[in-house]
Amino acid sequence: MDEQDNAQQKEEEKSPSCLVLQEDEKTQVSHRRAYLKEIAWKMFQDYEKKLYTLHFIGDLQREKLKESFHHLHQYLAKEAETCMTKQKDLVETSIKDSEVKVQSLLGFSTSLTNLLVKMENGEMVMTTEQLKTLREYLVEVSKLSVAQTSPLSPFQVQEWRGIRHIVRPVSDSLQFYPNSAHPNLFISKDCKQVRYTSIPQVRCINAYFEPGLYVLGLPGFNCGQHYWEVDVGHKSNWILGIVKESVPRKVPHNISMNSGFWVLRKQDNNVYYGCDLSTLNLATCPMRVGVFVDVSCSHIAFYNADTTGLIFRISECSFTGYLFPFFCPGVPVKEEDLAPLSLC
Protein backbone atom coordinates (compact mmCIF):
# COMPACT_ATOMS: atom_id res chain seq x y z
CA MET A 1 0.00 0.00 0.00
CA ASP A 2 2.81 2.41 0.81
CA GLU A 3 4.53 1.78 -2.49
CA GLN A 4 1.29 2.41 -4.31
CA ASP A 5 0.69 5.68 -2.42
CA ASN A 6 4.20 6.95 -3.15
CA ALA A 7 3.86 6.14 -6.77
CA GLN A 8 0.53 7.90 -6.91
CA GLN A 9 1.99 11.01 -5.19
CA LYS A 10 4.84 11.14 -7.70
CA GLU A 11 2.41 10.94 -10.54
CA GLU A 12 0.37 13.82 -9.10
CA GLU A 13 3.50 16.02 -8.72
CA LYS A 14 4.27 15.46 -12.34
CA SER A 15 0.80 16.55 -13.33
CA PRO A 16 0.47 19.95 -15.19
CA SER A 17 -1.57 21.62 -12.44
CA CYS A 18 1.03 20.88 -9.79
CA LEU A 19 3.83 22.14 -11.99
CA VAL A 20 1.94 25.40 -12.51
CA LEU A 21 1.60 25.90 -8.75
CA GLN A 22 5.32 25.42 -8.17
CA GLU A 23 6.16 27.87 -10.93
CA ASP A 24 3.79 30.47 -9.39
CA GLU A 25 5.48 30.15 -5.98
CA LYS A 26 8.90 30.62 -7.55
CA THR A 27 7.66 33.65 -9.45
CA GLN A 28 6.17 35.19 -6.29
CA VAL A 29 9.38 34.64 -4.35
CA SER A 30 11.34 36.22 -7.19
CA HIS A 31 9.01 39.24 -7.28
CA ARG A 32 9.24 39.68 -3.51
CA ARG A 33 13.01 39.47 -3.65
CA ALA A 34 13.10 42.11 -6.40
CA TYR A 35 10.67 44.32 -4.49
CA LEU A 36 12.71 44.13 -1.28
CA LYS A 37 15.87 44.81 -3.23
CA GLU A 38 14.24 47.87 -4.81
CA ILE A 39 13.07 49.17 -1.41
CA ALA A 40 16.52 48.63 0.08
CA TRP A 41 18.13 50.48 -2.82
CA LYS A 42 15.71 53.42 -2.44
CA MET A 43 16.42 53.58 1.30
CA PHE A 44 20.13 53.56 0.54
CA GLN A 45 19.71 56.38 -1.97
CA ASP A 46 17.57 58.40 0.50
CA TYR A 47 20.14 58.05 3.27
CA GLU A 48 22.91 58.90 0.84
CA LYS A 49 21.06 62.09 -0.13
CA LYS A 50 20.46 62.97 3.54
CA LEU A 51 24.13 62.39 4.32
CA TYR A 52 25.14 64.62 1.42
CA THR A 53 22.66 67.28 2.59
CA LEU A 54 24.09 67.16 6.13
CA HIS A 55 27.62 67.57 4.79
CA PHE A 56 26.48 70.45 2.58
CA ILE A 57 24.61 72.22 5.43
CA GLY A 58 27.58 71.73 7.75
CA ASP A 59 29.99 73.21 5.20
CA LEU A 60 27.59 76.09 4.54
CA GLN A 61 27.23 76.87 8.25
CA ARG A 62 30.99 76.80 8.71
CA GLU A 63 31.42 79.24 5.85
CA LYS A 64 28.76 81.52 7.32
CA LEU A 65 30.47 81.41 10.71
CA LYS A 66 33.82 82.24 9.11
CA GLU A 67 32.21 85.12 7.23
CA SER A 68 30.43 86.41 10.36
CA PHE A 69 33.61 86.36 12.45
CA HIS A 70 35.52 87.94 9.59
CA HIS A 71 33.02 90.82 9.47
CA LEU A 72 33.09 91.06 13.28
CA HIS A 73 36.88 91.18 13.22
CA GLN A 74 36.79 93.95 10.63
CA TYR A 75 34.21 95.86 12.67
CA LEU A 76 36.20 95.53 15.89
CA ALA A 77 39.39 96.60 14.13
CA LYS A 78 37.61 99.67 12.79
CA GLU A 79 36.09 100.42 16.20
CA ALA A 80 39.49 100.01 17.85
CA GLU A 81 41.04 102.48 15.41
CA THR A 82 38.20 104.96 15.96
CA CYS A 83 38.39 104.66 19.75
CA MET A 84 42.17 105.03 19.76
CA THR A 85 41.87 108.16 17.62
CA LYS A 86 39.24 109.61 19.97
CA GLN A 87 41.39 108.81 22.98
CA LYS A 88 44.46 110.37 21.37
CA ASP A 89 42.53 113.53 20.51
CA LEU A 90 41.14 113.67 24.06
CA VAL A 91 44.60 113.33 25.60
CA GLU A 92 46.07 115.96 23.28
CA THR A 93 43.23 118.35 24.10
CA SER A 94 43.71 117.75 27.83
CA ILE A 95 47.45 118.36 27.51
CA LYS A 96 46.89 121.62 25.62
CA ASP A 97 44.36 122.79 28.21
CA SER A 98 46.78 121.92 31.00
CA GLU A 99 49.62 123.78 29.26
CA VAL A 100 47.42 126.88 28.93
CA LYS A 101 46.53 126.65 32.61
CA VAL A 102 50.21 126.22 33.54
CA GLN A 103 51.15 129.29 31.51
CA SER A 104 48.36 131.23 33.17
CA LEU A 105 49.59 130.14 36.60
CA LEU A 106 53.18 131.12 35.71
CA GLY A 107 51.99 134.57 34.61
CA PHE A 108 49.97 134.93 37.77
CA SER A 109 52.93 133.81 39.89
CA THR A 110 55.19 136.39 38.23
CA SER A 111 52.63 139.17 38.68
CA LEU A 112 52.08 138.16 42.30
CA THR A 113 55.84 138.14 42.97
CA ASN A 114 56.26 141.62 41.49
CA LEU A 115 53.29 142.83 43.49
CA LEU A 116 54.70 141.49 46.74
CA VAL A 117 58.11 143.08 46.04
CA LYS A 118 56.46 146.45 45.45
CA MET A 119 54.44 146.11 48.64
CA GLU A 120 57.57 145.23 50.64
CA ASN A 121 59.37 148.25 49.19
CA GLY A 122 56.43 150.48 50.08
CA GLU A 123 55.86 151.37 46.44
CA MET A 124 52.15 150.48 46.61
CA VAL A 125 49.34 149.46 48.94
CA MET A 126 46.82 146.76 47.92
CA THR A 127 43.20 147.86 48.06
CA THR A 128 40.30 145.79 49.39
CA GLU A 129 39.00 145.32 45.85
CA GLN A 130 42.37 144.00 44.69
CA LEU A 131 42.51 141.60 47.64
CA LYS A 132 39.02 140.34 46.77
CA THR A 133 39.98 139.80 43.12
CA LEU A 134 43.14 137.98 44.19
CA ARG A 135 41.23 135.75 46.58
CA GLU A 136 38.65 134.85 43.90
CA TYR A 137 41.42 133.98 41.47
CA LEU A 138 43.12 131.75 44.03
CA VAL A 139 39.82 129.94 44.64
CA GLU A 140 39.46 129.30 40.89
CA VAL A 141 43.07 128.09 40.68
CA SER A 142 42.45 125.63 43.54
CA LYS A 143 39.68 124.02 41.48
CA LEU A 144 41.98 123.21 38.56
CA SER A 145 42.70 119.50 38.26
CA VAL A 146 43.94 117.05 35.68
CA ALA A 147 41.14 115.32 33.82
CA GLN A 148 40.70 111.75 35.01
CA THR A 149 39.03 108.81 33.36
CA SER A 150 35.44 108.21 34.34
CA PRO A 151 34.36 104.98 36.06
CA LEU A 152 34.01 102.01 33.76
CA SER A 153 30.63 101.78 32.07
CA PRO A 154 28.64 98.54 32.52
CA PHE A 155 28.67 98.37 28.74
CA GLN A 156 32.51 98.18 28.93
CA VAL A 157 33.05 100.25 25.79
CA GLN A 158 30.10 102.52 25.21
CA GLU A 159 31.04 103.03 21.56
CA TRP A 160 30.21 99.36 20.78
CA ARG A 161 26.60 100.20 20.02
CA GLY A 162 26.73 98.24 16.74
CA ILE A 163 27.28 94.96 18.59
CA ARG A 164 24.94 95.63 21.50
CA HIS A 165 23.48 92.11 21.04
CA ILE A 166 26.92 90.65 21.78
CA VAL A 167 28.39 93.05 24.35
CA ARG A 168 25.49 93.06 26.73
CA PRO A 169 25.94 93.71 30.46
CA VAL A 170 24.63 91.10 32.88
CA SER A 171 22.00 92.52 35.23
CA ASP A 172 21.93 91.82 38.94
CA SER A 173 19.18 89.45 40.01
CA LEU A 174 16.90 91.92 41.80
CA GLN A 175 13.44 91.61 43.32
CA PHE A 176 11.05 94.15 44.74
CA TYR A 177 10.77 94.02 48.53
CA PRO A 178 7.00 93.79 49.27
CA ASN A 179 7.26 94.76 52.96
CA SER A 180 8.86 98.09 51.99
CA ALA A 181 6.18 98.99 49.44
CA HIS A 182 3.51 101.61 50.06
CA PRO A 183 0.13 99.86 50.66
CA ASN A 184 -1.18 101.16 47.33
CA LEU A 185 1.58 99.37 45.43
CA PHE A 186 0.87 95.86 44.17
CA ILE A 187 3.85 93.49 43.81
CA SER A 188 3.62 90.51 41.43
CA LYS A 189 4.11 86.96 42.77
CA ASP A 190 7.63 86.73 41.31
CA CYS A 191 8.44 90.16 42.82
CA LYS A 192 9.56 91.44 39.40
CA GLN A 193 6.75 93.93 38.75
CA VAL A 194 5.20 96.76 40.76
CA ARG A 195 2.17 98.89 39.89
CA TYR A 196 -0.28 101.28 41.51
CA THR A 197 -3.56 99.87 42.86
CA SER A 198 -6.49 101.72 44.41
CA ILE A 199 -7.01 98.81 46.84
CA PRO A 200 -4.56 99.03 49.77
CA GLN A 201 -2.49 95.89 50.33
CA VAL A 202 -1.91 94.32 53.74
CA ARG A 203 1.73 94.49 54.86
CA CYS A 204 3.03 92.00 57.41
CA ILE A 205 5.72 94.35 58.70
CA ASN A 206 5.34 98.05 59.46
CA ALA A 207 8.43 98.94 57.42
CA TYR A 208 6.76 100.35 54.31
CA PHE A 209 7.08 103.82 52.82
CA GLU A 210 4.28 106.28 53.46
CA PRO A 211 3.04 108.67 52.11
CA GLY A 212 5.44 108.24 49.16
CA LEU A 213 4.58 105.54 46.58
CA TYR A 214 8.01 103.96 46.98
CA VAL A 215 9.45 100.45 47.16
CA LEU A 216 12.96 99.06 47.67
CA GLY A 217 14.76 96.38 45.71
CA LEU A 218 16.68 93.41 47.13
CA PRO A 219 19.45 92.60 47.76
CA GLY A 220 21.13 95.68 49.20
CA PHE A 221 24.88 96.24 48.99
CA ASN A 222 27.71 98.30 50.48
CA CYS A 223 30.56 97.50 48.08
CA GLY A 224 31.33 96.45 44.51
CA GLN A 225 29.75 97.27 41.15
CA HIS A 226 26.07 96.69 40.45
CA TYR A 227 23.86 97.03 37.38
CA TRP A 228 20.18 96.46 36.73
CA GLU A 229 17.62 97.40 34.08
CA VAL A 230 14.04 98.56 34.52
CA ASP A 231 11.32 98.53 31.87
CA VAL A 232 9.53 101.88 32.32
CA GLY A 233 7.47 101.65 29.13
CA HIS A 234 5.40 104.72 28.26
CA LYS A 235 4.66 105.77 31.83
CA SER A 236 4.46 109.55 32.26
CA ASN A 237 6.24 109.67 35.63
CA TRP A 238 8.55 107.44 37.70
CA ILE A 239 11.66 107.52 39.90
CA LEU A 240 14.64 105.13 39.78
CA GLY A 241 17.92 105.00 41.65
CA ILE A 242 19.36 104.04 45.03
CA VAL A 243 18.74 105.09 48.61
CA LYS A 244 20.48 104.76 51.97
CA GLU A 245 19.09 102.12 54.29
CA SER A 246 18.85 104.73 57.04
CA VAL A 247 16.29 107.01 55.36
CA PRO A 248 13.03 107.29 57.35
CA ARG A 249 9.98 105.67 55.75
CA LYS A 250 7.04 107.30 57.50
CA VAL A 251 7.58 110.96 56.62
CA PRO A 252 7.27 113.09 53.47
CA HIS A 253 10.61 112.84 51.71
CA ASN A 254 12.87 115.40 50.14
CA ILE A 255 14.26 113.32 47.28
CA SER A 256 17.80 114.71 47.23
CA MET A 257 21.39 113.56 47.65
CA ASN A 258 21.62 115.29 51.02
CA SER A 259 18.70 113.14 52.20
CA GLY A 260 20.32 109.92 50.98
CA PHE A 261 18.62 109.57 47.57
CA TRP A 262 20.50 109.32 44.25
CA VAL A 263 17.85 109.10 41.57
CA LEU A 264 16.68 109.90 38.08
CA ARG A 265 13.06 110.99 37.76
CA LYS A 266 10.60 111.49 34.97
CA GLN A 267 7.77 113.99 35.45
CA ASP A 268 5.24 115.86 33.34
CA ASN A 269 5.28 113.16 30.67
CA ASN A 270 8.62 113.89 28.94
CA VAL A 271 10.55 116.02 31.46
CA TYR A 272 13.51 114.36 33.17
CA TYR A 273 15.39 115.51 36.27
CA GLY A 274 18.67 114.52 37.89
CA CYS A 275 19.34 114.47 41.62
CA ASP A 276 19.84 118.24 41.77
CA LEU A 277 16.50 118.80 39.98
CA SER A 278 18.31 120.09 36.90
CA THR A 279 16.32 119.43 33.73
CA LEU A 280 17.87 116.90 31.36
CA ASN A 281 17.58 117.28 27.60
CA LEU A 282 16.99 113.81 26.15
CA ALA A 283 16.71 113.22 22.41
CA THR A 284 14.54 110.13 22.96
CA CYS A 285 12.44 108.84 25.83
CA PRO A 286 14.01 105.63 27.17
CA MET A 287 11.78 102.57 27.37
CA ARG A 288 14.31 100.67 29.49
CA VAL A 289 16.68 102.36 31.93
CA GLY A 290 19.93 100.82 33.13
CA VAL A 291 21.24 101.82 36.57
CA PHE A 292 24.97 101.36 37.25
CA VAL A 293 26.48 101.83 40.72
CA ASP A 294 30.18 101.67 41.55
CA VAL A 295 30.43 101.95 45.33
CA SER A 296 34.23 102.08 45.48
CA CYS A 297 34.31 104.98 42.98
CA SER A 298 31.31 106.70 44.63
CA HIS A 299 29.63 106.78 41.24
CA ILE A 300 26.14 106.20 39.85
CA ALA A 301 25.02 106.47 36.23
CA PHE A 302 21.77 106.00 34.32
CA TYR A 303 21.68 104.69 30.75
CA ASN A 304 19.19 104.19 27.97
CA ALA A 305 19.46 100.40 28.01
CA ASP A 306 18.35 100.07 24.37
CA THR A 307 20.87 102.51 22.88
CA THR A 308 23.55 102.41 25.66
CA GLY A 309 23.42 106.22 25.67
CA LEU A 310 24.30 107.94 28.93
CA ILE A 311 21.34 109.80 30.47
CA PHE A 312 22.80 111.15 33.70
CA ARG A 313 25.71 110.46 36.04
CA ILE A 314 26.82 111.56 39.50
CA SER A 315 30.34 111.19 40.90
CA GLU A 316 31.83 111.75 44.33
CA CYS A 317 28.67 110.49 46.04
CA SER A 318 28.81 110.05 49.81
CA PHE A 319 27.95 106.35 49.88
CA THR A 320 27.97 105.12 53.48
CA GLY A 321 26.30 102.09 55.01
CA TYR A 322 24.00 99.81 53.06
CA LEU A 323 22.37 101.01 49.84
CA PHE A 324 19.20 99.65 48.26
CA PRO A 325 17.72 99.96 44.76
CA PHE A 326 14.87 102.46 44.90
CA PHE A 327 11.73 102.66 42.75
CA CYS A 328 8.57 104.69 42.35
CA PRO A 329 6.10 103.59 39.62
CA GLY A 330 4.54 107.06 39.69
CA VAL A 331 1.15 108.54 40.38
CA PRO A 332 -1.42 107.52 37.73
CA VAL A 333 -2.45 110.53 35.65
CA LYS A 334 -3.11 108.68 32.38
CA GLU A 335 -3.95 105.16 31.29
CA GLU A 336 -0.33 104.21 30.55
CA ASP A 337 0.59 104.93 34.18
CA LEU A 338 -1.41 101.89 35.32
CA ALA A 339 1.19 99.67 33.66
CA PRO A 340 3.84 98.21 36.01
CA LEU A 341 7.53 98.94 36.39
CA SER A 342 9.30 95.69 35.51
CA LEU A 343 12.75 94.43 36.45
CA CYS A 344 14.37 93.13 33.28
Side-chain angles (χ1 to χ4, degrees):
M1 290 296 295
D2 292 340
E3 292 180 357
Q4 290 180 357
D5 291 338
N6 290 336
Q8 183 178 357
Q9 184 177 0
K10 290 181 180 179
E11 288 295 330
E12 289 176 355
E13 290 177 352
K14 293 180 180 180
S15 65
S17 60
C18 201
L19 290 174
V20 169
L21 289 173
Q22 291 178 354
E23 289 296 327
D24 288 343
E25 289 180 358
K26 290 181 180 179
T27 302
Q28 290 177 2
V29 170
S30 177
H31 286 325
R32 288 174 183 174
R33 188 185 303 117
Y35 176 71
L36 291 175
K37 184 178 180 180
E38 183 180 357
I39 291 177
W41 176 247
K42 286 183 177 180
M43 290 177 64
F44 172 77
Q45 288 181 321
D46 288 341
Y47 278 109
E48 193 175 43
K49 289 179 180 179
K50 290 179 180 178
L51 185 61
Y52 172 79
T53 302
L54 287 175
H55 281 294
F56 176 77
I57 292 175
D59 293 339
L60 183 62
Q61 288 178 340
R62 280 192 291 272
E63 289 300 320
K64 286 185 176 180
L65 282 174
K66 288 180 181 178
E67 184 179 359
S68 297
F69 278 102
H70 176 69
H71 289 321
L72 181 59
H73 176 74
Q74 288 183 324
Y75 178 83
L76 291 177
K78 183 179 179 181
E79 285 295 304
E81 183 180 357
T82 303
C83 291
M84 293 297 289
T85 301
K86 287 182 179 179
Q87 181 65 17
K88 182 180 178 182
D89 293 342
L90 180 62
V91 170
E92 290 179 352
T93 301
S94 298
I95 291 174
K96 289 180 180 179
D97 291 343
S98 298
E99 289 176 347
V100 171
K101 291 174 182 178
V102 168
Q103 292 298 324
S104 176
L105 286 173
L106 287 175
F108 174 75
S109 177
T110 302
S111 300
L112 184 59
T113 301
N114 294 334
L115 181 62
L116 291 174
V117 170
K118 290 181 179 180
M119 290 177 63
E120 289 177 357
N121 295 334
E123 298 177 8
M124 66 169 294
V125 177
M126 185 172 292
T127 64
T128 304
E129 190 65 27
Q130 288 175 325
L131 281 172
K132 182 180 178 182
T133 303
L134 179 61
R135 187 182 298 109
E136 290 176 353
Y137 185 82
L138 288 173
V139 171
E140 290 299 320
V141 169
S142 66
K143 295 179 181 179
L144 299 180
S145 61
V146 178
Q148 298 177 347
T149 57
S150 60
L152 189 64
S153 162
F155 300 98
Q156 303 302 316
V157 181
Q158 193 175 335
E159 285 76 12
W160 291 11
R161 294 187 176 92
I163 52 174
R164 165 73 169 136
H165 59 291
I166 297 176
V167 188
R168 184 180 180 85
V170 179
S171 299
D172 290 7
S173 180
L174 292 188
Q175 291 184 330
F176 293 115
Y177 179 33
N179 288 334
S180 70
H182 185 282
N184 286 103
L185 293 182
F186 177 79
I187 310 293
S188 62
K189 289 184 178 180
D190 62 358
C191 295
K192 293 292 186 180
Q193 294 185 332
V194 58
R195 62 176 175 81
Y196 175 83
T197 175
S198 59
I199 303 174
Q201 307 295 298
V202 177
R203 302 293 180 224
C204 299
I205 301 175
N206 188 23
Y208 52 84
F209 284 95
E210 195 176 30
L213 292 172
Y214 309 143
V215 60
L216 299 179
L218 292 176
F221 48 84
N222 63 354
C223 61
Q225 294 182 341
H226 304 272
Y227 176 77
W228 60 91
E229 293 182 358
V230 186
D231 187 341
V232 297
H234 295 282
K235 297 172 72 66
S236 66
N237 64 100
W238 43 257
I239 305 175
L240 304 175
I242 60 174
V243 63
K244 285 184 178 181
E245 181 183 22
S246 59
V247 298
R249 303 186 186 182
K250 291 292 189 293
V251 297
H253 292 88
N254 177 21
I255 305 297
S256 67
M257 291 185 289
N258 292 333
S259 301
F261 295 83
W262 293 270
V263 299
L264 169 72
R265 66 174 71 192
K266 179 183 181 182
Q267 293 181 352
D268 303 326
N269 198 23
N270 291 322
V271 181
Y272 296 84
Y273 298 93
C275 289
D276 55 357
L277 295 181
S278 59
T279 305
L280 305 175
N281 296 318
L282 303 185
T284 59
C285 297
M287 301 288 290
R288 290 189 306 138
V289 178
V291 184
F292 174 61
V293 181
D294 190 332
V295 178
S296 60
C297 291
S298 301
H299 172 85
I300 181 172
F302 301 88
Y303 295 87
N304 184 326
D306 293 312
T307 65
T308 76
L310 177 65
I311 299 174
F312 177 66
R313 71 171 60 175
I314 318 166
S315 297
E316 300 181 0
C317 303
S318 57
F319 294 153
T320 56
Y322 259 83
L323 304 169
F324 286 89
F326 179 76
F327 309 89
C328 173
V331 179
V333 295
K334 54 192 302 187
E335 185 177 354
E336 289 84 348
D337 296 329
L338 297 176
L341 283 182
S342 303
L343 294 171
C344 302

